[in-house]
Amino acid sequence: MTKRLLSVSFLLLFVAVLHAAPLSLEAIAHPSSVSLSWNEAEGAVFYDIYSGEDFIVRLDSSSRCYDVRNLLSDTRYDFSIAARTPDNETLDAAFASATTTSWDGIYEWINQTDTDNHGRVRSLRIRIETAYDSSVGQYHNVYMYMEDGSEVKIFPLYSFGDPSSGEWVDYDGDSVAAVSYRLNAERFNTSPFTPGRWRVDKVVIDYDSSSAYIQTSALGLVFETVSGYELYIEDGVMKLSFYTEGTGIVNGILFKNPNPGEGDAFILTRIE
């Protein structure tokens, strides 16, 4: 009787092992992040996630997904997950690789109203180009298309490390930065007044967004504006939010998004 019970118990354990699904890991790539998801590992209290040999995070047993952010575009990443007990013993492990995509492309916004700043903002087209600099890491060159089909670089206005980037520039200057700033400012300025000078105060760079703080001198006063963009995915579609804000009276003369329900920022959709 004892041998029979032992045989039955062993058989039940063997069948349970056969039906236990091994830990598996799925990786879905985005331009600067990877979404990881996995199945439950029986008995696991923790899930430890690694990128290559680098530890990323420890999650509790209820977790089934995690987004690894701030990744370089067009880059392959190898991930692993380990299911562990309270004593840090490994129950199972799984591996997955993914190559990130990029935000590169052309984004467009269409004005759905008759408010267009005297015909200057019937639509917006912006081109995003991924770039890398040893001092700041990955960033994006941002180009805006003009009415004649040409494009001007609106971010960054200067090369990183350029000592002249913080100097005052005449509004009517003929440098590359001066022309780019003037063409962009003329498009969004709703008043008949123009600044006499401007300068870059600071630049903030992130993986999916950046902003430039500009000081302008006009009518004997100094004002600050900030222009920035944010890249994101909504319902599987790549989008770009572009905005310009100012202090004091400057904010009141800046052209904002007139489309109902979209807010002040211009929401551009990638078209190619």
Side-chain angles (χ1 to χ4, degrees):
M1 180 64 71
T2 301
K3 289 183 179 181
R4 182 176 179 181
L5 287 174
L6 288 174
S7 298
V8 171
S9 298
F10 176 77
L11 180 61
L12 291 175
L13 177 61
F14 180 72
V15 171
V17 171
L18 285 178
H19 284 82
L23 183 64
S24 62
L25 180 64
E26 181 181 20
I28 299 177
H30 307 292
S32 56
S33 65
V34 171
S35 297
L36 302 176
S37 60
W38 57 92
N39 60 315
E40 180 183 5
E42 187 175 351
V45 175
F46 304 114
Y47 293 105
D48 290 343
I49 297 177
Y50 296 82
S51 174
E53 297 181 354
D54 297 327
F55 173 75
I56 298 177
V57 66
R58 166 166 280 191
L59 303 171
D60 62 37
S61 59
S62 65
S63 301
R64 295 290 178 273
C65 61
Y66 184 78
D67 287 342
V68 184
R69 302 183 182 277
N70 296 339
L71 301 178
L72 296 176
S73 297
D74 296 317
T75 303
R76 173 187 166 122
Y77 289 90
D78 299 316
F79 299 98
S80 60
I81 184 171
R84 294 201 163 105
T85 68
D87 297 327
N88 215 35
E89 295 179 358
T90 302
L91 296 172
D92 201 353
F95 306 85
S97 298
T99 299
T100 52
T101 55
S102 78
W103 296 109
D104 291 10
I106 298 175
Y107 297 73
E108 185 178 54
W109 170 86
I110 301 296
N111 193 335
Q112 302 171 9
T113 75
D114 293 329
T115 303
D116 57 11
N117 197 18
H118 306 289
R120 291 195 289 264
V121 194
R122 291 303 308 154
S123 64
L124 292 178
R125 277 198 175 192
I126 291 178
R127 182 170 69 86
I128 296 294
E129 176 187 77
T130 302
Y132 187 88
D133 182 86
S134 58
S135 63
V136 301
Q138 181 174 285
Y139 68 99
H140 297 102
N141 289 316
V142 182
Y143 300 87
M144 180 173 289
Y145 287 89
M146 299 292 105
E147 294 297 322
D148 61 0
S150 63
E151 63 177 26
V152 297
K153 188 177 181 181
I154 62 173
F155 185 87
L157 288 173
Y158 293 91
S159 299
F160 299 110
D162 186 339
S164 66
S165 63
E167 297 177 358
W168 286 97
V169 179
D170 289 337
Y171 182 78
D172 294 325
D174 56 4
S175 67
V176 173
V179 173
S180 295
Y181 175 85
R182 184 167 62 251
L183 290 174
N184 186 52
E186 288 175 348
R187 197 167 194 182
F188 297 98
N189 182 4
T190 64
S191 79
F193 305 103
T194 58
R197 299 186 303 163
W198 63 273
R199 63 179 290 272
V200 176
D201 187 22
K202 66 177 179 179
V203 174
V204 178
I205 296 175
D206 204 346
Y207 283 81
D208 301 330
S209 63
S210 291
S211 54
Y213 292 78
I214 306 292
Q215 289 184 340
T216 58
S217 175
L219 304 176
L221 301 173
V222 175
F223 305 92
E224 186 166 272
T225 60
V226 54
S227 295
Y229 69 89
E230 179 182 2
L231 294 154
Y232 63 99
I233 297 176
E234 183 177 77
D235 297 328
V237 178
M238 292 186 183
K239 295 193 174 184
L240 183 156
S241 174
F242 173 77
Y243 65 92
T244 300
E245 300 173 347
T247 57
I249 61 174
V250 172
N251 195 54
I253 65 174
L254 293 172
F255 186 78
K256 305 294 180 64
N257 184 354
N259 287 347
E262 293 185 1
D264 288 341
F266 298 93
I267 308 301
L268 293 82
T269 299
R270 182 176 172 179
I271 59 173
E272 60 180 88

